[in-house]
Amino acid sequence: MRLLNLFKIALKAIVLNKVRTLLTMLGIIIGVASVIAMLAIGEGSKKSIRTTISNMGSNMITVKPGADERGGVRQEGSTMETLTLKDYLAIKEQSTLLSNITPLVNSSGQMINGSKNWPSTIYGVNTEYLAIKTTDLKSGSMFTEDEVQTAAKVVLLGQTVVDNAFGEGVDPVGQMIRFNKIPFKVIGVLEEKGENTFGQDQDDVVIAPYTTVQKRILAIDYINQVVASAISEDDAPAAVIQVTDILRTQHKLTENEDNDFDVKSMEELISTFSSTSEMLTLLLVAVASISLLIGGIGIMNIMYVSVKERTKEIGLRMAVGGKGSDILMQFLIEAVLISVTGGLLGVILGLGTTVFIEKFLNWPTSVALYSIVVSFLVCAVTGIFFGYYPAKKAAALDPITALRYE
């Protein structure tokens, strides 16, 4: 009952000074809203990155020749020719953790159809590529193993290439198109994927048999990459190690020699982008938290003013038997009420802000429950921390001195 009465007294004091209380809450409201919005943007970005990379093939593994730049210094051209079809076959035959694998060669050029042309990249792969990239066909069919072996001049087109080289709404299957000067027959159109998180158009792509690109376009006997998919996401790290061991043996590298190739899984890419996103989120939250600190200082300031204004009231309460602990609790409850109410309004504003950001700014957001819980806890702690000292000062007042205060 005593606590209930103190709560009523604190609430009455807040209601009597509505404008001042609201202005005091502003720092808390803005701080909590900012923290929730920043965390929502961070979580949304991480989920968007993971979804985008998963659409590319979450268990995908890529093998590349020695990087063309290391430490800012460009390497020799020969280091880019360290992957061969023998390497691809060795991985295919010896690895037990891969479900699909393909060599990959690529070249940039113009896709030409009559008076229309479009700059794009042609990727030379085998029949397992679509399964690795988790891509479906919108129309037509995939080229066959026989067409790979005979270096047939057939291609699959992404929707962006179709729209720009043939026109929107046109199904080009069965028609001819040229890559630079070489004619190809269109045998399929890829399902649309749109832009990924990094702004890259996933539909601006042309796919052909790797033998065709290797022999008829590039005239090379090595390959640019080996792309594979692990049996599952959990097997990807072990698959990376296994592929690395196979290639080290294949390239006859000694223990003291560095790899002349690079093996990476999508999990590493996800981890890299997620850690960067987390760092930026923490930075934004740290900046937003300054508002909470300012709000806390505002509460302390207003409680000091309140103690000064009500010094005579405090003295009267003590004179009729009120204890110092009651005075302390009354002002502490008042500070916590201001802080928690501000926190509640901040949560509402924060949720509204995340909806606005997602709907009107087209930025992915994801509100985590923990961000709301933590915000409330921070508000309660802020009220107690910044309200305690003024409340303690009020409780320590001498009743006689307080009654004489003008």
Side-chain angles (χ1 to χ4, degrees):
M1 183 62 73
R2 170 172 156 269
L3 194 62
L4 182 61
N5 285 334
L6 290 174
F7 181 84
K8 287 178 180 177
I9 293 168
L11 187 61
K12 186 178 180 181
I14 290 172
V15 172
L16 285 172
N17 298 281
K18 299 184 191 71
V19 176
R20 188 172 71 182
T21 301
L22 183 61
L23 291 173
T24 306
M25 288 179 184
L26 270 180
I28 298 293
I29 293 170
I30 294 170
V32 170
S34 300
V35 169
I36 289 175
M38 293 303 104
L39 284 172
I41 289 171
E43 286 295 318
S45 297
K46 283 194 288 183
K47 285 186 177 181
S48 179
I49 288 168
R50 181 171 285 275
T51 300
T52 298
I53 295 176
S54 294
N55 287 338
M56 294 165 63
S58 58
N59 55 343
M60 192 169 77
I61 293 169
T62 57
V63 184
K64 296 181 180 180
D68 58 356
E69 287 188 14
R70 186 174 296 170
V73 180
R74 188 171 181 83
Q75 293 181 290
E76 295 178 6
S78 59
T79 61
M80 302 302 294
E81 302 175 13
T82 55
L83 282 181
T84 65
L85 284 173
K86 288 183 180 179
D87 295 327
Y88 152 70
L89 292 171
I91 297 170
K92 184 179 178 68
E93 291 168 4
Q94 298 174 39
S95 177
T96 58
L97 297 173
L98 301 179
S99 56
N100 295 287
I101 182 169
T102 177
L104 186 147
V105 286
N106 61 279
S107 178
S108 297
Q110 292 286 327
M111 300 303 299
I112 304 167
N113 175 39
S115 61
K116 295 180 179 179
N117 64 82
W118 179 252
S120 191
T121 302
I122 188 167
Y123 293 91
V125 294
N126 69 10
T127 56
E128 299 178 29
Y129 182 73
L130 295 187
I132 296 170
K133 296 287 284 185
T134 62
T135 301
D136 295 322
L137 286 171
K138 182 179 180 180
S139 62
S141 60
M142 182 62 171
F143 45 78
T144 64
E145 189 60 38
D146 285 341
E147 287 171 320
V148 173
Q149 295 302 321
T150 58
K153 292 185 283 187
V154 292
V155 290
L156 307 175
L157 303 179
Q159 192 61 49
T160 298
V161 180
V162 172
D163 291 343
N164 287 279
F166 289 92
E168 293 184 16
V170 176
D171 186 355
V173 174
Q175 298 188 46
M176 299 299 293
I177 191 170
R178 283 186 293 132
F179 179 79
N180 295 335
K181 295 181 180 180
I182 305 171
F184 285 87
K185 182 179 181 181
V186 180
I187 61 170
V189 176
L190 301 172
E191 196 71 53
E192 291 180 59
K193 280 196 167 186
E195 286 190 356
N196 59 25
T197 303
F198 319 117
Q200 181 182 5
D201 186 357
Q202 299 178 89
D203 300 319
D204 189 4
V205 63
V206 180
I207 296 174
Y210 73 89
T211 48
T212 307
V213 178
Q214 192 179 40
K215 296 174 182 178
R216 299 181 185 276
I217 297 175
L218 296 173
I220 57 175
D221 59 1
Y222 57 90
I223 56 178
N224 300 134
Q225 292 181 44
V226 173
V227 182
S229 57
I231 294 171
S232 68
E233 282 190 54
D234 294 335
D235 290 320
V240 168
I241 295 170
Q242 188 181 64
V243 169
T244 301
D245 291 340
I246 292 170
L247 284 177
R248 284 189 65 83
T249 302
Q250 183 72 14
H251 291 192
K252 298 181 174 60
L253 298 174
T254 64
E255 289 184 7
N256 297 326
E257 289 182 298
D258 293 331
N259 295 337
D260 56 356
F261 56 87
D262 186 30
V263 185
K264 277 190 170 59
S265 68
M266 280 299 178
E267 193 58 42
E268 293 175 49
L269 192 59
I270 290 172
S271 177
T272 299
F273 280 106
S274 293
S275 61
T276 304
S277 177
E278 283 175 6
M279 191 181 302
L280 289 172
T281 302
L282 287 174
L283 180 63
L284 291 171
V285 168
V287 173
S289 297
I290 294 173
S291 295
L292 281 175
L293 178 63
I294 294 170
I297 294 170
I299 288 174
M300 180 181 278
N301 182 53
I302 208 66
M303 293 310 294
Y304 264 122
V305 172
S306 186
V307 168
K308 282 285 184 183
E309 286 180 348
R310 294 155 65 188
T311 300
K312 207 162 192 173
E313 176 193 329
I314 293 167
L316 185 60
R317 288 184 186 280
M318 287 182 167
V320 296
K323 298 178 182 177
S325 59
D326 293 333
I327 304 298
L328 174 69
M329 189 60 68
Q330 176 191 330
F331 280 91
L332 204 55
I333 289 172
E334 198 171 318
V336 172
L337 272 175
I338 292 172
S339 184
V340 172
T341 305
L344 179 61
L345 294 173
V347 168
I348 295 170
L349 179 61
L351 294 175
T353 303
T354 57
V355 171
F356 176 83
I357 290 170
E358 187 162 6
K359 296 290 184 184
F360 296 99
L361 301 182
N362 295 319
W363 192 275
T365 60
S366 177
V367 179
L369 180 61
Y370 76 86
S371 65
I372 297 175
V373 174
V374 169
S375 295
F376 268 115
L377 289 175
V378 169
C379 287
V381 171
T382 300
I384 293 170
F385 181 80
F386 286 100
Y388 179 77
Y389 190 75
K392 188 179 179 183
K393 186 177 180 181
L397 285 174
D398 178 61
I400 296 173
T401 305
L403 283 168
R404 288 176 178 172
Y405 182 81
E406 294 296 336

